[in-house]
């Protein structure tokens, strides 16, 4: 009986020891699991907290996501062009030596304005021929009248009358030809006399426009094959956009194009589509879309390369100001005011759980949550957005100062680690 009691007591002691060991093991396992969770990878911080003073300092402004009528766009490259019928090469119809040049590159000239003067002794010979023909016509007319009078009185042969008539007609033809040549040269035949023969001619502008090139100089010889200058009428400047095949169905006559110069993107210009090409440009697989430049044309020159934005159909969509969107890790975000709080982090290892903290002075904080969005078209300072996750329709969005909120969030993330 005594031995039986001792056996039971031993069993109870053994079971109690095992229970303590199992409990200890279980507690240690829980502690290790918690420590593993604490030391594992933390989710990226999405809540930024700012004080009222910080918000005032950087000028943070809140607003709502608005419904805006934005225009979707297509981006295309192109160049400025002047039609060939608004360009002119200034040449001389007759060869000669340049005596004066009255223009410089960049000068504006009007149609008929004198560009240069040339000289050649051969011009005198042409005027001499004209005066000679005029004198011969006067004599031929007298001879014709004499022969006709003789013929009418049966005193002259018909053959002589016909000969004098042919001679008169030939001389009149020569006179008409010489008159036309002199007019082309800029000489008025009525002003030609024996004491007023000109050895010089003037070259005039065939169109109104700006002098773009001067090819001659004083003393050089020019003729119809050697240009003196080139003139461009930039007032008829138009824009040729190169649009890819996939975007062609979206093009319409009358659409507005906003464009900037590739080498000077500070100024924006406007144009309107008036014609769409029907064939590909070389091997580029692009089609020319022709646009007339409207409004300001100052500083625009034939041949300049441009980058254009074609405005397509308008649509009403949720949108925020452009500066409300920030970019991070190739994604786009906005910040909305939230009641959520940033995650609280555990004390560093080695600190006692029962250690009392010194209370800090509490400041009124405003929390902002980082929300991922997908950007749409931009127009008039607003950008269409689609939120990845649904948010409240009354959410207050940081419409000004989002960059600083994002910087605060990034700094908070760095300190946490």
């Amino acid at each position: 009986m005594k031995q039986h009691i001792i056996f039971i007591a031993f069993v109870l002691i053994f079971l109690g020891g095992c229970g303590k060991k199992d409990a200890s093991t279980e507690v240690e396992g829980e502690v290790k699991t918690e420590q593993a969770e604490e030391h594992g990878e933390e989710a990226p911080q999405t809540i930024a907290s700012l004080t009222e003073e910080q918000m005032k300092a950087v000028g943070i402004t809140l607003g709502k996501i608005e419904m805006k009528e934005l225009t979707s766009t297509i981006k295309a490259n192109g160049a400025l062009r002047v039609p060939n019928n608004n360009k002119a090469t200034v040449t001389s119809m007759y060869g000669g030596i340049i005596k004066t040049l009255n223009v410089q590159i960049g000068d504006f000239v009007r149609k008929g304005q004198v560009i240069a003067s040339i000289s050649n002794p051969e011009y005198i010979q042409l005027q001499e021929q004209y005066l000679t023909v005029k004198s011969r016509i006067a004599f031929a007319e007298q001879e014709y009248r004499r022969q006709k009078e003789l013929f009418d009185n049966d005193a002259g042969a018909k053959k002589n009358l016909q000969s004098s008539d042919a001679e008169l007609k030939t001389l009149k033809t020569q006179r008409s030809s010489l008159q036309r040549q002199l007019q082309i040269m800029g000489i008025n035949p009525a002003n030609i006399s024996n004491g007023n023969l000109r050895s010089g001619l003037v070259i005039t502008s065939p169109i109104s426009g700006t002098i773009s090139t001067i090819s001659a100089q004083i003393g050089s010889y020019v003729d119809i094959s050697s240009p003196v200058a080139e003139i461009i009428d930039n007032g008829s400047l138009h824009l040729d956009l190169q649009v890819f095949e996939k975007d062609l169905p979206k093009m319409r006559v009358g659409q507005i194009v906003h464009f900037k110069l590739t080498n000077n993107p500070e100024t924006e210009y406007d144009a309107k589509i008036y014609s769409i090409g029907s064939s590909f440009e070389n091997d580029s697989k692009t089609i020319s879309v022709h646009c007339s430049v409207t409004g300001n044309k100052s500083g625009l020159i034939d041949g300049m390369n441009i980058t254009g934005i074609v405005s397509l159909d308008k649509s009403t969509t949720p949108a925020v100001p452009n500066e409300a969107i920030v970019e991070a890790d190739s994604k786009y975000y906005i910040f909305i005011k939230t009641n959520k709080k940033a995650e609280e982090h555990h004390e560093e290892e080695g600190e006692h759980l029962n250690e009392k903290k010194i209370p800090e002075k509490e400041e009124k904080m405003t929390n902002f949550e980082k929300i991922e969005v997908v950007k749409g078209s931009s127009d008039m300072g607003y950008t269409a957005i689609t939120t990845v996750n649904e948010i409240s329709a009354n959410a207050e969005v940081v419409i000004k100062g989002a960059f600083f909120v994002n910087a605060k969030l990034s700094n908070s993330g760095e300190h946490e680690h």
Side-chain angles (χ1 to χ4, degrees):
M1 183 68 180
K2 186 178 180 180
Q3 291 179 348
H4 183 68
I5 293 172
I6 294 171
F7 176 76
I8 293 174
F10 178 78
V11 171
L12 291 173
I13 293 170
F14 177 78
L15 291 174
C18 291
K20 289 179 181 179
K21 185 176 180 181
D22 291 341
S24 176
T25 302
E26 184 177 352
V27 171
E28 289 178 2
E30 290 176 358
V31 172
K32 288 180 180 179
T33 302
E34 290 176 359
Q35 292 177 351
E37 290 176 355
E38 287 180 5
H39 289 83
E41 293 185 0
E42 298 177 355
Q45 183 67 273
T46 60
I47 307 295
S49 299
L50 284 85
T51 64
E52 290 185 358
E53 291 183 0
Q54 290 174 329
M55 292 175 63
K56 289 180 180 178
V58 297
I60 291 175
T61 305
L62 301 181
K64 302 286 187 180
I65 297 177
E66 303 178 50
M67 297 302 294
K68 287 285 184 180
E69 190 180 52
L70 301 183
T71 304
S72 56
T73 58
I74 290 176
K75 187 175 182 180
N77 296 323
L80 295 170
R81 294 282 183 263
V82 172
N84 287 336
N85 60 341
N86 293 101
K87 298 178 182 179
T89 300
V90 181
T91 58
S92 174
M93 295 294 293
Y94 298 89
I97 303 297
I98 295 287
K99 289 298 182 182
T100 61
L101 270 175
N102 304 329
V103 294
Q104 295 181 356
I105 293 177
D107 287 351
F108 179 82
V109 295
R110 298 192 178 279
K111 183 177 181 179
Q113 182 176 331
V114 175
I115 301 295
S117 64
I118 60 175
S119 178
N120 192 328
E122 294 179 1
Y123 306 154
I124 297 176
Q125 295 177 5
L126 191 62
Q127 297 168 74
E128 179 186 346
Q129 291 176 19
Y130 174 73
L131 292 175
T132 301
V133 169
K134 278 183 66 177
S135 299
R136 290 178 61 189
I137 288 175
F139 175 78
E141 287 175 341
Q142 293 177 1
E143 179 63 20
Y144 173 76
R145 285 195 295 268
R146 190 176 70 86
Q147 291 295 334
K148 189 174 187 304
E149 185 177 351
L150 291 173
F151 178 77
D152 291 341
N153 295 324
D154 294 328
K158 185 177 181 180
K159 179 180 179 182
N160 293 337
L161 177 61
Q162 292 175 335
S163 177
S164 62
D165 182 50
E167 175 69 13
L168 179 59
K169 289 181 178 178
T170 300
L171 290 172
K172 286 184 176 180
T173 301
Q174 290 180 6
R175 183 183 63 180
S176 297
S177 174
L178 290 169
Q179 281 180 336
R180 186 57 184 154
Q181 292 181 58
L182 290 169
Q183 289 171 348
I184 292 174
M185 294 171 67
I187 299 174
N188 186 356
N191 296 333
I192 299 176
S193 64
N194 290 330
N196 187 29
L197 299 180
R198 294 173 53 183
S199 62
L201 302 177
V202 294
I203 301 174
T204 58
S205 173
I207 64 171
S208 297
T210 303
I211 302 292
S212 60
T213 304
I214 296 178
S215 307
Q217 60 186 11
I218 294 176
S220 61
Y221 180 84
V222 295
D223 56 20
I224 196 168
S225 64
S226 53
V228 176
E230 292 183 2
I231 301 174
I232 294 180
D233 178 12
N234 283 319
S236 58
L237 198 72
H238 76 267
L239 176 64
D240 281 349
L241 279 181
Q242 301 303 317
V243 177
F244 287 102
E245 181 181 3
K246 64 181 180 66
D247 295 325
L248 189 61
K250 303 174 185 177
M251 298 293 103
R252 297 287 185 275
V253 172
Q255 287 173 329
I256 301 300
V257 179
H258 304 289
F259 68 94
K260 294 182 179 181
L261 302 179
T262 304
N263 294 328
N264 183 22
E266 296 179 1
T267 306
E268 184 173 275
Y269 301 88
D270 297 324
K272 182 183 288 187
I273 296 177
Y274 70 84
S275 175
I276 299 174
S278 57
S279 60
F280 290 110
E281 294 289 325
N282 301 324
D283 298 327
S284 62
K285 287 297 180 182
T286 60
I287 296 91
S288 287
V289 175
H290 307 288
C291 317
S292 57
V293 180
T294 59
N296 179 30
K297 297 181 182 179
S298 60
L300 302 183
I301 299 175
D302 178 48
M304 282 182 166
N305 294 321
I306 65 94
T307 300
I309 301 293
V310 183
S311 299
L312 305 179
D313 298 332
K314 291 187 176 182
S315 59
T316 303
T317 179
V320 295
N322 295 340
E323 58 182 319
I325 303 174
V326 296
E327 183 179 1
D329 302 325
S330 300
K331 295 181 180 180
Y332 299 98
Y333 301 90
I334 61 172
F335 286 93
I336 64 171
K337 187 177 178 181
T338 182
N339 293 326
K340 297 179 183 179
K341 295 183 179 180
E343 295 181 3
E344 297 181 359
H345 294 271
H346 298 286
E347 300 294 328
E348 297 292 335
E349 292 183 6
E351 292 186 357
H352 298 287
L353 296 176
N354 59 350
E355 184 179 350
K356 292 183 179 180
K357 296 181 182 179
I358 300 174
E360 296 181 358
K361 182 181 178 180
E362 292 187 0
E363 295 186 74
K364 186 177 179 181
M365 308 290 286
T366 303
N367 295 337
F368 299 97
E369 184 177 5
K370 188 178 184 180
I371 302 295
E372 183 180 352
V373 297
V374 177
K375 286 177 61 176
S377 58
S378 296
D379 188 25
M380 303 297 291
Y382 280 80
T383 298
I385 60 167
T386 303
T387 56
V388 175
N389 297 317
E390 187 176 353
I391 63 173
S392 171
N394 297 321
E396 293 186 85
V397 181
V398 178
I399 60 173
K400 187 175 181 181
F403 171 81
F404 298 102
V405 179
N406 189 56
K408 179 69 166 59
L409 182 63
S410 300
N411 291 337
S412 299
E414 291 175 1
H415 293 314
E416 286 163 7
H417 294 287

